[in-house]
Amino acid sequence: MSQTISRRGFLKSAAAGSAVMMVGLNAGGLLAVGSGDVVVNPFVSINQEGEVTVVIKHFEMGQGTTTGLTTLVAEELDADWQKMKIDFAPADGIRYKNLFFGAQLTGGSTAIANSYMQYREAGAMARDLLVRSASTAWGVSPNQIQIRNGVISAGNKTAHFGEFIKEAMALKPIDKPVTKTPDQFNLIGKLKLPRKDSQAKTTGQAMFAMDVKLPGMLYVAIHRSPKFGGKVISFNLDDAKKIGGFVDAKPLANKAGVAVYAKNTWAAFKARDALKVSWDFSGAETRGTEEMRAEYKRLVDEPAMFNGLPTTKEAANTAMQDAEHLVEADFQFPFLSHAPMEPLNCVIEKTANGVRFHDGCQGPSLVQGVVAYVLGLEQSQVEVKTFYAGGSFGRRANVNSDYHVEAALAFQAYGGQTPVKLVWSREDDIRGGYYRPMSMHRAKIGLDANGQLLGWDHHVAAQPIMKGTPFEAMVVHNGIDHTSVEGLSDTLYQVPNMSMGVSDFKSVIPVLWWRSVGHSHTAFVMESLIDMAAAKAKRDPVALRLSLLNQTDAKGQRMANTIKTARDMANWKEGDKRGFASHFSFNTYVAVVADVSVKAKQVHVDKLYIAVDCGVAINPDVIKAQMEGGAGFALGAIARNEVTLDKGEVIEANFPQYQPTRFGDMPEIEVEIVRSNEAPTGVGEPAVPPTGPAIANAIYAVTGVRITDLPMTKAGFTFS
C-alpha cells in the first residue's frame, strides 16, 4: 500500500536557535490541524549539523525493522549510512499507523511491507528539497546537483545536508517525489549492510524496557491465580512482611491478582512468593491436558460446527468413494509459549496530562485504548515511550494489553503518584498464558491409480484467537476464525473436491497469535499429508507439489519457482531419504529441504536448505538471519516444546522444562533469496511453518516413523 507525499507533510520549526527539517507523508488526508503547516507522519528529520534521523514506527524486537526502514530512507536520500540515526516513534495511531491494520501495531510480518513506499517517498522528498535548495544557493540547475554518501556537490562546490536546511524549509514540497528504479539502488539489496542496532546491543548501550529506572520507582510483581480465571478472595501478608525490601501489597481492582511492591525485583519476587492467597476458582479452567485432548477428539468425531469451503464433507467423500489410495490421519498440537528471552516488563509513571509507559511496545494503539479505559482517561493521555525488546514472537501485543493493565492497576492501587515497574519472572512468562492454541486436525485424502488427488476432507478443532475481540469483524467469517485455518483454507495447492470443517474449543485459557499464528500447525498438517500422499502413490514429493500448483497464476508460479530453487540448491533427487516442505504465508514463499541423521531414536538435523521469495530484498543479510532464526524457533517448538496442565495449572515453569533451541540443536542452514522486483513481503515469520514438516518428513524418510502428535518427543525421539 502506497501513500502520497503531502505538501503539508513538512515541518518548519526552530528550537533554541537551530532549525530541524522533518519530512513525512499524508496518511490519506485524515489529519487536519489548524490552517498552517501540518506535521503528518514525520519519518525523517535533518538538523543543521546534517544528521539524519529516521523515526521508526515499528518497534525493534530483533527482526531488523530499524535497519530496514532506515535503509529505505537512506537509499532515496543518498545519505551516509554510517551517520544515519534512529528514534522510535511516539504513540500516535494516526501519524504512525500500520497501513494494513489501521492502528499503530507491529506484527504479521508487515513492518517493511506496509512502509516500503512511505519511507522511500519520505527520503525522496527530503532529497528533492535539498537539491533545489543547493541549486538556488549555488546558481546551478537542479540536474547539476549530485548527492552521494551524504555529500551535496556541484562542480567544485560541496556541502553537507545541514547547510541547506533553512533554505529547504522555505520551499514548497512537490506533490509526488520521484523514487529510484531498482537498477539505481545502492543500499537496497546490498548483501552486507551493518545493522543499526548491532553496535548499541553489543556494547550494552541499547536501552531495553528492563533497563528503565525512574527516581522513586517501586518494583512490582503480581501474585496471579494458579488456574486461569481464578479471582482473589483474600490474602495474608505476614510472611511477606519478613522479606527485606518489601513495601506493601494490594489487590488489583479486577481481582485477577495481588500486586506486591518492593524496593528491588528480588524482594518483589520473594515477597510475592511468601503471600498466602485464597482464590475463587468457580470460573476457572480446571481441566488437565489429557481431558482437553479428549475434548478435541470428541470435537473431530462429531460434525463440524462451521463449513469453510464450498465443497461439503459429503461431496468430498463422494468424490473419494472409488479412490485407489486413501490417506487418513489425525494430528495433535499442544499449547506453546512465546518464551522470549526478555520476560515481560514495563514502567508506568504519572505525567502532567495522564500517564506514560516505558515499554518494548509492540502495539501502542492497543495499550492506549485499553489503559485509557481502565484508568478513565482519554487515549491521548496515555503516552508510550518505546524501547528495544528482547524478543516477542507476538506476546507483547494482545488485545487485552494484559501486562500493561496489570501495571496500570498496580499504579492506581498504590495511589497513582509513584512510578512502578512491573517485572515478570521467567516462570510468570511461561505460566502466564496467551499461548499458541492447542489444536487437532483430522484429514482424509483420496487418490486415483495414477496418484492424482480426487478429494480432501479436513476437520480442524482449535481454540479461536480472534472471536470476542475487536479484531473479530476483520477475520471471523461464517463463524470461522481465519487464524485457525489460514494456510489451509487459502492454500495455493489446486486441490479438487476439498472440504473443510471447523469446531471451536472453549476455554478461559488466554490464547494469542504466536510466530506464524495458524500457519504454525496448518502447514505441518498440509505438508505432512502431501508427503503421505506422495508415498502412498509412489510419487516424488517435490514433483507432486509442483503438479498441484497453477503455474500460470502469479502466486502459483512464484511458489513453484521457490520450490524449484530449494530443490536445485539441495541437489534433490527422487528417492532421496530427505524431507521437503513448502508454504505460502504473509505473502512470502518459502521452501525447505531437510537432512537429518537418526541413531536409535536420537535425531540431529544436519542441514536445512531454505529458498525464499519475499519480493524486493531490502536487507539480504537480515532476511537470511530471519530465515535462520525462524527455522531454529520452529525446531525447538516441534522437537520438545509443549505447555501442559494438571487440574488447570501449568506444569512447565522455566527453560529446564520448556527448553529453547540450543546451539547444539542448530543445523547448518543455507539460504537462497529468489530475485524479485515485486513489492517486499514479510520475513519474520514465514520460515517457521515449513521447517517443522520438512524435518518430520525427513525423519519419516530415514526411519519410516510418521509423526502426527507434537512435540516429537511423544514419538520417543530425542534431539541433539
Side-chain angles (χ1 to χ4, degrees), residues 538-542 571-579 701-702:
K538 295 181 171 54
R539 295 185 64 183
D540 176 63
V542 176
N571 194 26
W572 174 280
K573 292 182 177 62
E574 186 172 351
D576 281 353
K577 292 187 178 301
R578 314 168 82 180
V702 173

Side-chain angles (χ1 to χ4, degrees), residues 514-651:
W514 178 93
R515 194 174 186 176
S516 77
V517 202
H519 296 281
S520 66
H521 55 92
T522 61
F524 191 95
V525 175
M526 290 285 289
E527 292 302 297
S528 294
L529 288 167
I530 292 291
D531 240 51
M532 294 165 72
K536 184 73 76 171
K538 295 181 171 54
R539 295 185 64 183
D540 176 63
V542 176
L544 177 57
R545 286 173 172 84
L546 290 171
S547 74
L548 292 173
L549 294 169
N550 177 6
Q551 297 185 44
T552 63
D553 169 75
K555 287 185 176 180
Q557 185 180 59
R558 291 178 71 182
M559 187 76 258
N561 289 340
T562 306
I563 289 173
K564 292 173 184 176
T565 300
R567 176 196 66 189
D568 294 345
M569 65 190 287
N571 194 26
W572 174 280
K573 292 182 177 62
E574 186 172 351
D576 281 353
K577 292 187 178 301
R578 314 168 82 180
F580 193 96
S582 57
H583 194 67
F584 173 70
S585 63
F586 307 96
N587 292 314
T588 293
Y589 310 78
V590 180
V592 181
V593 176
D595 290 333
V596 306
S597 54
V598 183
K599 294 180 181 178
K601 279 209 164 184
Q602 186 172 28
V603 177
H604 187 266
V605 182
D606 300 322
K607 186 166 183 176
L608 297 176
Y609 299 85
I610 302 177
V612 54
D613 178 351
C614 56
V616 174
I618 308 300
N619 302 118
D621 199 43
V622 171
I623 293 169
K624 181 184 178 194
Q626 286 301 295
M627 293 298 106
E628 293 168 341
F633 187 87
L635 173 55
I638 64 164
R640 44 186 173 241
N641 286 170
E642 62 177 333
V643 170
T644 60
L645 296 94
D646 180 23
K647 297 179 181 177
E649 299 187 18
V650 175
I651 296 171

Side-chain angles (χ1 to χ4, degrees), residues 184-206:
Q184 297 174 311
F185 290 160
N186 295 310
L187 295 177
I188 291 176
K190 188 173 181 179
L191 190 59
K192 294 287 185 181
L193 195 65
R195 282 181 61 134
K196 277 296 163 189
D197 55 340
S198 292
Q199 184 175 0
K201 288 179 177 178
T202 53
T203 59
Q205 295 175 320

Side-chain angles (χ1 to χ4, degrees), residues 38 87 97 113 117 157 172 204 230 290 309 333 386 398 407 413 434 453 528 589 605 617 619 641 651 655 670 683:
V38 179
D87 193 15
K97 67 183 177 184
M117 290 310 298
K157 294 182 172 64
K172 180 183 292 186
E290 291 308 312
L309 293 173
F333 300 88
T386 297
N398 64 76
Y434 288 95
L453 272 65
S528 294
Y589 310 78
V605 182
N619 302 118
N641 286 170
I651 296 171
F655 286 152
E670 184 177 332
V683 296

